[in-house]
Amino acid sequence: MVKLRLKRCGKKQRAVYRIVAIDVRSRREGRDLRKVGFYDPIKNQTYLNVPAIFYFLEKGAQPTETVYDILRRAGVLEEFRLNQTKLKVK
């Protein structure tokens, strides 16, 4: 199973995180399948590769709680749900 979760980068006391698609059995710093975003909690900056996130969500990837909150604040989850309902209607 694949999850979308945070991978810690940066210096001591100055953490930044990559949002990655990674196998559940891998550890936090393990090898990721693909980098799909970036999150800096200190500057409160977020960069998201929305098509890549949509791809993994369509394949059944589950975001962790923190990544879920980041995606919800960015409006990605609403857009994904709208996309899904449009596909079901057609």
Side-chain angles (χ1 to χ4, degrees):
M1 184 171 149
V2 176
K3 279 202 173 228
L4 297 176
R5 65 183 182 196
L6 297 175
K7 187 174 186 179
R8 191 177 196 275
C9 304
K11 302 176 185 178
K12 281 194 242 177
Q13 304 297 319
R14 183 71 179 91
V16 293
Y17 298 91
R18 286 188 182 138
I19 301 170
V20 296
I22 194 166
D23 187 26
V24 174
R25 296 166 290 186
S26 298
R27 56 196 177 125
R28 181 185 73 182
E29 304 303 327
R31 186 172 178 187
D32 50 86
L33 301 172
R34 186 164 179 194
K35 296 173 184 78
V36 295
F38 174 83
Y39 173 61
D40 185 352
I42 296 170
K43 294 181 182 177
N44 203 15
Q45 292 179 333
T46 306
Y47 165 76
L48 300 171
N49 183 351
V50 178
I53 292 171
F54 279 179
Y55 172 78
F56 282 107
L57 288 175
E58 287 171 358
K59 298 294 180 186
Q62 297 295 313
T64 60
E65 289 181 32
T66 309
V67 174
Y68 181 87
D69 291 340
I70 292 169
L71 296 177
R72 187 173 42 98
R73 274 189 267 136
V76 173
L77 292 175
E78 291 175 24
E79 190 176 334
F80 177 71
R81 288 191 184 112
L82 288 174
N83 244 354
Q84 292 296 349
T85 55
K86 286 180 185 176
L87 291 175
K88 288 181 181 177
V89 171
K90 288 184 181 180

